[in-house]
Amino acid sequence: MFEDRKLLVTGGTGTIGNSICQYFNNNGCEEIYSTTTNLDKVKSDQKYINFKEINLNNIENLDLDEIFEFDIDYLVLNAGLNRDNIFLRMSSDDWNSVINVNLNSSFHLLKHFTKKMVKKRFGRIVFISSVVAHTGNPGQVNYTTSKAAISGMVKSLALELSTRNITVNSVAPGFIQSNMTDKLSDDQKNSILDRIPMKKLGDSNDIAKAVGFLCSENANYITGQTLHVNGGLALI
Amino acid sequence: MSDIEERVKKIVVEHLGVEEAKIQSDSKFIDDLGADSLDTVELVMAFEEEFGCEIPDDAAEKIVTLKDAVTYLTANSN
């Protein structure tokens, strides 16, 4: 499905990022790049991915021309960070690092890669958002803000780039079994399960398939949209 | 016509698909030659490639006519 195309997924060592890389690899994509904060996190079965060790919190000071000297067809902005706390106890550091990694890094990466996509007249950009961007979530003012901001970015960018055959969409996962939801207590998990009509957490492959769809030829006429993959948790 | 002007004109003709005869040195890419805003970005990228220089965003925004491009590239290309 993705033969002769090149993919960059930020945060490829996370559960969802890893599943996305695997899905594209299984479907013919031979050139896959990713980023990680620490190359030690790269697992032995991820050798097919070209990892770049960068800190997205500090991306403004990096020379992206040097790090990403290649062009790509698919850009999946997946890297995300959460630093949860009730708002009244949230530090500026927790606010800034989440906004930097989840939102500002996308600005810089997009500035770098969209120029090349415009020139090629092809590009598929997919953001990984979150259900809580649309519903709110106590304890996650920073995280939900960063993810909700992506909605505006998706729509405006989609409008700006549509004449060049570049689509911009997002996938909004619900609660997915991942390194992020593993941190939740059993009580928290049970109360979430009660609210999910399908009565189970999502699998990271469910997200990978949605991303794959938006990058595939089946989605050529879809842009500026959010695809909710949440087992019915929120119908938006 | 200078060598630089000729090369700039060739890029504009190729990229915007306009007839060379229709391009005056003060023709505006967007208002007179039918470019959209992304075309102007692409033109600047093509100039950078042709002349082996980097045109920063603040300078690029000021290049709205053929003459602007020629003036900038005469002063800044290698």
Side-chain angles (χ1 to χ4, degrees), chain B residues 1 4-30 32-35 39-40 42-47 50-51 63-70 73:
Chain B
M1 204 191 304
I4 288 183
E5 186 171 349
E6 211 161 301
R7 286 156 71 194
V8 167
K9 207 175 225 182
K10 191 164 169 256
I11 289 170
V12 175
V13 167
E14 275 172 13
H15 190 84
L16 299 181
V18 287
E19 283 173 43
E20 193 170 341
K22 286 195 178 156
I23 305 175
Q24 308 295 319
S25 78
D26 59 353
S27 308
K28 291 186 173 158
F29 298 133
I30 290 181
D32 301 319
L33 301 176
D39 285 322
T40 62
E42 287 186 75
L43 280 174
V44 166
M45 288 194 282
F47 298 150
E50 169 74 20
F51 293 93
I63 300 177
V64 295
T65 65
L66 183 85
K67 195 176 157 198
D68 295 336
V70 173
L73 292 165

Side-chain angles (χ1 to χ4, degrees), chain A residues 46-95:
Chain A
Q46 290 188 309
K47 296 285 182 225
Y48 64 93
I49 304 170
N50 299 295
F51 273 99
K52 306 282 175 188
E53 190 177 48
I54 63 169
N55 182 354
L56 294 176
N57 202 351
N58 181 38
I59 194 168
E60 218 171 330
N61 303 316
L62 301 176
D63 182 354
L64 297 186
D65 287 331
E66 196 184 312
I67 300 165
F68 302 113
E69 77 287 11
F70 45 86
D71 66 324
I72 51 170
D73 302 285
Y74 311 129
L75 174 60
V76 181
L77 296 154
N78 160 75
L81 179 76
N82 63 329
R83 294 273 182 274
D84 300 350
N85 208 337
I86 57 167
F87 183 68
L88 290 172
R89 296 205 187 284
M90 188 172 282
S91 68
S92 306
D93 271 359
D94 286 347
W95 172 266

Side-chain angles (χ1 to χ4, degrees), chain A residues 111 115 118-119 121 160-161 163-164, chain B residues 15 36 38-39 41-42 45 49 57:
Chain A
K111 282 279 278 186
K115 259 190 184 177
V118 164
K119 208 169 171 186
R121 284 172 163 56
E160 284 196 16
L161 299 174
T163 56
R164 298 305 192 270
Chain B
H15 190 84
D36 67 17
L38 285 184
D39 285 322
V41 175
E42 287 186 75
M45 288 194 282
E49 209 165 290
D57 282 347

Side-chain angles (χ1 to χ4, degrees), chain A:
Chain A
M1 203 179 341
F2 306 119
E3 282 79 10
D4 301 322
R5 298 288 192 190
K6 296 180 215 169
L7 164 74
L8 170 68
V9 181
T10 60
T13 49
T15 314
I16 291 178
N18 183 36
S19 288
I20 295 169
C21 292
Q22 264 179 17
Y23 182 79
F24 276 76
N25 185 46
N26 291 342
N27 285 281
C29 189
E30 284 170 2
E31 215 168 320
I32 299 177
Y33 298 91
S34 188
T35 66
T36 179
T37 47
N38 187 346
L39 283 174
D40 293 340
K41 289 191 203 163
V42 177
K43 298 172 202 94
S44 55
D45 61 353
Q46 290 188 309
K47 296 285 182 225
Y48 64 93
I49 304 170
N50 299 295
F51 273 99
K52 306 282 175 188
E53 190 177 48
I54 63 169
N55 182 354
L56 294 176
N57 202 351
N58 181 38
I59 194 168
E60 218 171 330
N61 303 316
L62 301 176
D63 182 354
L64 297 186
D65 287 331
E66 196 184 312
I67 300 165
F68 302 113
E69 77 287 11
F70 45 86
D71 66 324
I72 51 170
D73 302 285
Y74 311 129
L75 174 60
V76 181
L77 296 154
N78 160 75
L81 179 76
N82 63 329
R83 294 273 182 274
D84 300 350
N85 208 337
I86 57 167
F87 183 68
L88 290 172
R89 296 205 187 284
M90 188 172 282
S91 68
S92 306
D93 271 359
D94 286 347
W95 172 266
N96 288 330
S97 55
V98 167
I99 298 293
N100 272 341
V101 172
N102 296 8
L103 179 64
N104 293 341
S105 70
S106 297
F107 168 80
H108 294 285
L109 288 168
L110 285 161
K111 282 279 278 186
H112 178 77
F113 284 111
T114 47
K115 259 190 184 177
K116 298 177 183 193
M117 288 178 175
V118 164
K119 208 169 171 186
K120 270 211 299 208
R121 284 172 163 56
F122 183 85
R124 296 287 175 263
I125 297 165
V126 181
F127 287 82
I128 303 301
S129 173
S130 169
V131 64
V132 296
H134 304 268
T135 61
N137 201 22
Q140 292 200 307
V141 170
N142 48 2
Y143 185 79
T144 52
T145 302
S146 71
K147 294 293 189 181
I150 286 171
S151 297
M153 215 169 173
V154 164
K155 290 176 190 174
S156 299
L157 254 183
L159 294 174
E160 284 196 16
L161 299 174
S162 54
T163 56
R164 298 305 192 270
N165 192 23
I166 300 170
T167 66
V168 188
N169 294 290
S170 72
V171 171
F175 286 93
I176 304 297
Q177 186 85 51
S178 72
N179 49 346
M180 221 180 249
T181 50
D182 286 346
K183 292 182 207 157
L184 299 171
S185 69
D186 283 349
D187 278 354
Q188 283 173 313
K189 268 190 201 160
N190 287 333
S191 98
I192 290 163
L193 283 173
D194 276 346
R195 287 156 48 208
I196 302 174
M198 286 192 174
K199 297 295 172 211
K200 59 177 180 183
L201 293 183
D203 187 282
S204 55
N205 286 316
D206 296 327
I207 304 306
K209 287 174 194 166
V211 172
F213 165 67
L214 289 171
C215 291
S216 76
E217 288 190 1
N218 296 324
N220 278 351
Y221 199 54
I222 298 175
T223 193
Q225 305 298 320
T226 297
L227 184 50
H228 293 275
V229 183
N230 62 29
L233 172 65
L235 305 179
I236 303 151

